[in-house]
Structure formats: C-alpha cells, structure tokens
Amino acid sequence: MLDIIISIFLILGAGFALVGSIGLLRLPDFYTRLHGPTKATTLGLGALLIASMIYFSSRGEVSLHELLVTLFLFMTAPVSAHLLAKAALHLRIRSEVDLPKDEQSKP
Amino acid sequence: MLANAILIAMALIILALVLNIWRVVIGPDITDRILALDTLYINAIALLVLLGIHMTSAAYFEAALLIAMIGFIGTTALCKYLLRGDIIE
C-alpha cells in the first residue's frame, strides 16, 4: 500500500519536472519561458521530496530533514525568478508583446 | 513496483536534464542560459533524491541541500552581475 503511494508521488514529481523542462524548451520568448521551470519543476521536486519523506519514515524513525530542502527551494525559487525577470527587463530582452517601462534604468 | 517506479522517474528526470542542456546550448540570450542552468540544478537535486531512495542512504540529502544553496547563490550572483555590472557593491 505504502509502495503504491510512494510510486504515485515519484511518477507525479518526475512528470512535473519533465513538463517544466519541456516548457523551458518550447515556449516562444523569455518571459513565457520563465513560467515553466519556476513553477512546474519546483512542484515536481516537492512531490519527489514528499515521496522520499514517506519512504524513509516507513523504515523506522521519522525522517524530516527533506523538509529543509523543500522549504529552502520554495523560498528561493520565486526570488531567483524575480531577479531573472528584473535582469531581462534591464537588458530589454525581445518579447512577443510590449514590455512595461523599466523604472530603475532611467537616466 | 517501487524499483520500477524509481527507474521510470530517473528516466524522466534524465530526459528533463537533456532538454535543459539543449536550452543552454541554443539559448538566444544570456538570461535564457541562466534560467536553463537554474532549472538544471533543480533537476540535479531531483536526481540525487531519487538516488537516495534507490540506494536507501540518507547521505544524499546533505549533497542535495548543498547543491540547492550553491545553485541559488550562483543564480543570484549572475543576475546581480547583469543588473549592476558588479556582484558585491
């Protein structure tokens, strides 16, 4: 029973990571490409870490140090995505639609 | 059952890594390459977690935590360099 739950979480997580990477490869411009990895891949890694937590907790003592990796990633993924978007706006990377004005790079 | 699931998940993650490296190679702009490297380290953490389950060893989590920290610092440093032309002002 526990094996089935762990397997479902494993396949779900790996599938989400793959979907995020396909999005990174296929979407048309940088600002849409930013969506795929920063959401889908982080969610996939969260599911994999839940599976690992269940697996190691089922073998005896409760194992919670996967929570550290999960918390750290869920805190840092939005920060790095925000920094990347700011850098792309600063460099005026090509976009499919008109970009908003960059307030910081005024002379 | 579990062993097969781990193998399938590893195959999916390795395919994701190949797609990320492809984006690093073709990426038209520098920010695309940074984003692809960011995704690459997240997928590497996923592969390490899968290896930890496969080999039933808890030693892989320290490596995963270290890669998470150093990858985030690397992405932040590259973005700060693009934004300001300097990393530590």
Side-chain angles (χ1 to χ4, degrees), chain B residues 66-79:
Chain B
L66 277 177
I67 291 183
M69 282 182 192
I70 292 174
F72 172 66
I73 291 171
T75 307
T76 314
L78 284 170
C79 288

Side-chain angles (χ1 to χ4, degrees), chain B residues 5-80:
Chain B
I6 289 173
L7 284 183
I8 294 171
M10 270 186 192
L12 294 180
I13 294 285
I14 288 170
L15 188 58
L17 285 171
V18 171
L19 295 181
N20 291 335
I21 292 173
W22 184 242
R23 176 50 80 183
V24 172
V25 171
I26 67 170
D29 294 306
I30 181 88
T31 44
D32 285 305
R33 295 199 168 94
I34 300 175
L35 179 63
L37 287 174
D38 192 70
T39 318
L40 195 72
Y41 89 78
I42 293 181
N43 282 332
I45 295 172
L47 198 59
L48 269 182
V49 169
L50 281 174
L51 267 178
I53 299 178
H54 184 61
M55 302 197 179
T56 324
S57 149
Y60 286 90
F61 291 110
E62 275 89 50
L65 202 54
L66 277 177
I67 291 183
M69 282 182 192
I70 292 174
F72 172 66
I73 291 171
T75 307
T76 314
L78 284 170
C79 288
K80 286 293 281 182

Side-chain angles (χ1 to χ4, degrees), chain A residues 54-74:
Chain A
I54 296 174
Y55 179 72
F56 281 103
S57 297
S58 71
R59 299 176 51 82
E61 70 268 26
V62 178
S63 152
L64 285 179
H65 52 262
E66 290 91 343
L67 269 182
L68 278 177
V69 185
T70 318
L71 268 180
F72 192 79
L73 270 170
F74 276 40

Side-chain angles (χ1 to χ4, degrees), chain A:
Chain A
M1 183 61 205
L2 218 51
D3 271 12
I4 297 172
I5 298 174
I6 296 170
S7 306
I8 288 173
F9 270 116
L10 283 178
I11 300 295
L12 201 69
F16 268 114
L18 183 61
V19 165
S21 299
I22 292 174
L24 176 71
L25 193 65
R26 299 266 325 198
L27 286 171
D29 67 346
F30 175 75
Y31 303 96
T32 49
R33 255 175 240 144
L34 200 52
H35 284 285
T38 50
K39 294 175 185 66
T41 309
T42 314
L43 178 65
L45 190 56
L48 280 181
L49 286 164
I50 287 174
S52 157
M53 218 183 301
I54 296 174
Y55 179 72
F56 281 103
S57 297
S58 71
R59 299 176 51 82
E61 70 268 26
V62 178
S63 152
L64 285 179
H65 52 262
E66 290 91 343
L67 269 182
L68 278 177
V69 185
T70 318
L71 268 180
F72 192 79
L73 270 170
F74 276 40
M75 276 191 295
T76 57
V79 176
S80 55
H82 176 72
L83 274 173
L84 273 169
K86 258 172 84 176
L89 278 177
H90 182 71
L91 295 176
R92 301 175 193 283
I93 301 289
R94 183 192 64 83
S95 168
E96 301 271 304
V97 295
D98 287 338
L99 292 179
K101 279 207 180 82
D102 187 3
E103 302 283 337
Q104 288 186 341
S105 65
K106 270 182 193 162

